[in-house]
Amino acid sequence: MKKFIFLILFSVLFIGCEGVLDVNKDPNNPENVPITLLLPAIELNATYAFVAGEGIGQDLGVYMHQLSTREEANEYGADGTEYYLGRSWNYTYVGALQNIEALIAKADEMEAPHYAGVAKILKAYLFSQYVDIFGKIPFSEANKKNDGIIYPTYDDGKDIYPEIIKLLNDGITDLKKDKGSYFPATDDLIFGGNATKWIKTANTIKLKLFNQVRLLDAASVSPITGGTSLKDAIDALLADPNSLMGATDDGFMFPFTSKRTPDERNPAYTDIYEATQKSTHISPWFFEIMKGLNPVFSGIQDPRVPYYFYNQLNATMAGRDGNSFEYRVGGFTTIYFGSKGPDRDKSQDKSFAVYGIYPAGGRFDAGDAKQVGAESGTGAAPYRFLTYADRLFIEAELMQTNVIVGDARAKLESAMKEAFKQVDYVVTKAKLSDQTIPALNNAATTTTYINSILALYDAGNDDKKLDIIITQKWISSFGSYVDQYTDYR
């Protein structure tokens, strides 16, 4: 992967003139770029648009109360000038979408339909995330500078959604073609050129999008599905389970590594573990829900806590920074969202709780209470765009709301089990050689937790049952914040 990292801000500019000393020709932005270099640049920019520590995920993680910060996202204060928001738009529209248009054009010229298919699926996904966040976005006139469009119009979500579905269907069609001599391989950093996994991703994205508009009349003909009802479209997807994600490693994920030169680590890791002034804290509300200290799951402690959070202190240690804490439970210290208290702005860099091995590739909390630094973890945790666990939670939601027929309780149980397997999967990618980390899948504590959540589900009314499904999905998706925000909205 490292040979592609330098392309992160790469964009293709079609400019004229020849000559070695031609000042109108930027050697850092060449006119003719191989598709084998375009694709990894697109995938990396698409990831950076959303991952915490680099893109809009930093703000949405605070908005969804899994993170706390002193920055603009605190008190819901992020606006158009906010740092991470601006970077996300640049990564998306310049770094990814502009290059996607170039890749599709080159793939058509070269008769390389698999490249075009991957590009269309990525294009559909990026636009779907942005329309879900903002409602109105540049779409029909986006990235058409060569057509003289400098200020594109903002299209409505209701007009964009059908086009996104069409893009996904077109991408699937391209990936099913056999013709051509050019196929993605190692330049596809996500799936290594595996067309089947890209098709599963496209179909699972469609399932997610259909669910997100389920509050429309699911039984009536919908323009989003191209002429069928939402229910029929969802039933058709689920009729062939092999067409959707069906295993943990089917997940749509970007594989960060532990390499530091060039830096291929998850930005959520470097933002905390390598920073000398840390600004990202864990939300005390999220911590209390997982510890069973909040009425949401009162008395039910989540066994994922030491995988999710690493405490630089133990329960008896004083803070290394010499300042008093705004919030402390045992070795866990942090700040509140929206706090105006006297201890909010006091430095606790050497003391407060940070990301664990999940989702950022940090350190598993075995109670060793070390001060973290650049070498404390690997940063090799993948960024999870959409996963098999997400698919199962979506199905549970559709069953619970009677959009489709099925056993919502059984599907919730399957989703929770997969969520724990997903943590184990990330651990295998991100663990340190000096840490022995127990598996969560089928562990006694995992079984006890799942049974306790199912008992709450059984005792609840329909609204409570749906709340439990969405809350479990929210916990599972720690580190991937856009769909959390969409669920909330």
Side-chain angles (χ1 to χ4, degrees):
M1 173 174 138
K2 69 178 182 179
K3 66 180 178 180
F4 301 125
I5 292 296
F6 77 98
L7 292 168
I8 182 168
L9 293 178
F10 171 55
S11 62
V12 178
L13 302 178
F14 292 93
I15 52 181
C17 303
E18 296 180 359
V20 175
L21 298 178
D22 191 341
V23 296
N24 293 317
K25 196 168 191 175
D26 184 352
N28 295 315
N29 290 288
E31 299 172 17
N32 190 17
V33 179
I35 54 178
T36 54
L37 295 184
L38 279 171
L39 180 56
I42 291 165
E43 292 176 342
L44 189 61
N45 276 278
T47 305
Y48 273 25
F50 302 117
V51 66
E54 193 68 40
I56 199 170
Q58 184 70 21
D59 296 326
L60 295 183
V62 178
Y63 275 37
M64 295 314 302
H65 297 285
Q66 290 187 341
L67 305 177
S68 295
T69 185
R70 306 181 185 100
E71 297 168 343
E72 287 90 337
N74 188 40
E75 299 186 275
Y76 308 112
D79 60 20
T81 65
E82 198 274 332
Y83 176 77
Y84 293 105
L85 186 60
R87 289 175 72 82
S88 181
W89 278 79
N90 189 60
Y91 284 131
T92 299
Y93 277 91
V94 179
L97 289 170
Q98 184 166 307
N99 284 334
I100 283 174
E101 295 304 320
L103 177 55
I104 292 172
K106 290 179 75 69
D108 289 344
E109 291 173 7
M110 298 169 61
E111 293 190 348
H114 282 215
Y115 275 99
V118 170
K120 289 172 184 177
I121 292 168
L122 286 166
K123 179 179 179 179
Y125 179 79
L126 285 163
F127 276 125
S128 74
Q129 294 292 84
Y130 260 64
V131 73
D132 287 342
I133 297 169
F134 298 104
K136 287 187 175 184
I137 59 169
F139 177 76
S140 60
E141 294 183 350
N143 297 97
K144 293 189 175 180
K145 183 185 67 174
N146 292 337
D147 296 333
I149 299 174
I150 305 299
Y151 302 104
T153 59
Y154 279 62
D155 299 297
D156 289 326
K158 65 180 178 63
D159 299 319
I160 297 173
Y161 252 63
E163 296 301 316
I164 290 172
I165 300 300
K166 184 177 183 300
L167 272 170
L168 291 168
N169 288 333
D170 289 348
I172 291 170
T173 299
D174 285 338
L175 285 162
K176 289 182 176 179
K177 294 177 180 177
D178 292 328
K179 72 173 186 176
S181 301
Y182 303 96
F183 299 93
T186 56
D187 54 328
D188 173 12
L189 304 179
I190 294 175
F191 287 128
N194 188 318
T196 299
K197 290 194 175 185
W198 276 110
I199 292 170
K200 289 181 178 182
T201 291
N203 282 322
T204 308
I205 292 170
K206 284 197 288 183
L207 179 68
K208 179 176 83 81
L209 297 177
F210 291 155
N211 178 52
Q212 288 170 186
V213 293
R214 67 174 174 75
L215 294 180
L216 302 174
D217 186 354
S220 298
V221 172
S222 170
I224 293 168
T225 63
T228 66
S229 69
L230 281 170
K231 182 183 184 306
D232 287 346
I234 293 167
D235 285 340
L237 280 174
L238 296 176
D240 181 8
N242 292 328
S243 70
L244 297 160
M245 293 175 186
T248 308
D249 63 2
D250 282 344
F252 181 28
M253 297 179 271
F254 185 88
F256 287 108
T257 80
S258 60
K259 293 177 182 175
R260 299 180 65 182
T261 308
D263 200 336
E264 297 179 0
R265 295 170 296 174
N266 190 313
Y269 175 83
T270 55
D271 182 60
I272 294 296
Y273 281 74
E274 199 158 72
T276 54
Q277 291 189 330
K278 303 175 180 63
S279 61
T280 302
H281 298 66
I282 305 299
S283 165
W285 191 62
F286 185 37
F287 168 78
E288 289 184 354
I289 287 175
M290 293 194 69
K291 288 287 287 184
L293 303 175
N294 184 290
V296 172
F297 296 137
S298 180
I300 304 174
Q301 181 160 318
D302 196 316
R304 289 170 287 193
V305 167
Y307 300 78
Y308 276 37
F309 317 131
Y310 183 79
N311 296 326
Q312 297 187 81
L313 305 178
N314 62 34
T316 61
M317 291 172 64
R320 296 187 181 93
D321 307 86
N323 294 318
S324 53
F325 297 106
E326 179 161 274
Y327 178 96
R328 180 168 187 171
V329 173
F332 181 91
T333 67
T334 190
I335 60 173
Y336 289 104
F337 176 87
S339 170
K340 303 292 186 183
D343 296 320
R344 189 198 77 159
D345 293 332
K346 293 179 179 178
S347 175
Q348 294 291 354
D349 283 10
K350 301 173 185 176
S351 304
F352 70 73
V354 297
Y355 280 124
I357 192 168
Y358 185 97
R363 192 167 184 84
F364 172 75
D365 194 340
D368 48 346
K370 295 182 178 180
Q371 179 183 334
V372 300
E375 305 295 337
S376 300
T378 65
Y383 176 72
R384 296 164 286 112
F385 294 103
L386 188 65
T387 67
Y388 177 44
D390 294 330
R391 173 208 158 174
L392 296 173
F393 282 118
I394 289 167
E395 288 186 56
E397 181 182 351
L398 289 166
M399 292 171 184
Q400 184 61 46
T401 54
N402 298 313
V403 176
I404 61 173
V405 175
D407 186 340
R409 184 189 191 276
K411 192 63 68 172
L412 170 62
E413 182 177 6
S414 296
M416 287 191 290
K417 288 179 178 178
E418 175 57 27
F420 281 89
K421 285 179 65 178
Q422 186 171 279
V423 175
D424 288 341
Y425 176 84
V426 171
V427 167
T428 64
K429 303 290 184 182
K431 67 180 179 180
L432 287 163
S433 59
D434 68 340
Q435 284 201 307
T436 300
I437 303 175
L440 282 167
N441 186 37
N442 295 324
T445 52
T446 298
T447 301
T448 299
Y449 176 82
I450 290 174
N451 288 338
S452 298
I453 297 299
L454 291 174
L456 282 182
Y457 177 92
D458 292 337
N461 59 22
D462 286 343
D463 288 341
K464 181 62 176 177
K465 288 176 179 177
L466 182 59
D467 181 63
I468 289 170
I469 291 169
I470 298 299
T471 303
Q472 283 298 315
K473 184 184 177 190
W474 172 77
I475 293 171
S476 171
S477 59
F478 182 39
S480 302
Y481 301 112
V482 179
D483 288 347
Q484 292 183 10
Y485 184 64
T486 301
D487 287 340
Y488 166 74
R489 292 182 68 221

